[in-house]
Amino acid sequence: MELRNEDLPATLQAFELEDNREIFIAEQVVNTQDEITNFTNRYMGKLIKAKTVTLGNNRSRINPDNAVKKPKSSINAVMILVVLALLVLAIYGFSTGWIQDKLNLNI
């Protein structure tokens, strides 16, 4: 079995035919012709189907350079703001003496 380079990566599936039914055996995503040859040799005599790998409904091929990126969360920005606010309050509390007064500290 040979596929064009434009069709790679592809998913190969092997099926056993029994009583006019297809029984699934194995599946592998292949990126090179050597991987295709290894898969077809391993499952020789079985029904082998091939299909291109798609991502979602937009039919774009999976590509490490074009991977789907997870949306960034704003939790990091919120945590930084909370820590900065606490730091400002601590500096203000020490500079006015309010923290030393409430905790009975002699600094």
Side-chain angles (χ1 to χ4, degrees):
M1 170 183 275
E2 290 188 27
L3 294 176
R4 298 180 312 222
N5 286 337
E6 298 86 39
D7 294 334
L8 296 175
T11 302
L12 297 181
Q13 297 175 330
F15 295 89
E16 179 77 44
L17 291 176
E18 186 174 299
D19 298 328
N20 292 332
R21 293 184 308 148
E22 297 175 356
I23 300 172
F24 177 77
I25 298 174
E27 178 178 65
Q28 180 179 347
V29 176
V30 294
N31 293 306
T32 64
Q33 187 61 43
D34 289 337
E35 291 176 344
I36 294 170
T37 303
N38 290 338
F39 186 86
T40 54
N41 287 340
R42 189 178 317 128
Y43 297 103
M44 191 174 292
K46 310 294 185 212
L47 173 64
I48 297 176
K49 295 182 180 182
K51 60 183 176 180
T52 58
V53 175
T54 58
L55 182 63
N57 292 333
N58 62 1
R59 302 285 185 206
S60 62
R61 291 190 175 97
I62 293 177
N63 183 350
D65 298 330
N66 192 16
V68 175
K69 294 181 181 176
K70 192 168 66 171
K72 290 187 177 182
S73 174
S74 62
I75 292 177
N76 290 338
V78 171
M79 291 300 294
I80 290 172
L81 289 175
V82 168
V83 168
L84 285 175
L86 290 174
L87 185 63
V88 167
L89 288 174
I91 291 171
Y92 179 75
F94 272 109
S95 65
T96 60
W98 183 83
I99 292 177
Q100 293 91 330
D101 188 38
K102 292 298 178 186
L103 298 177
N104 294 324
L105 296 176
N106 293 326
I107 296 178

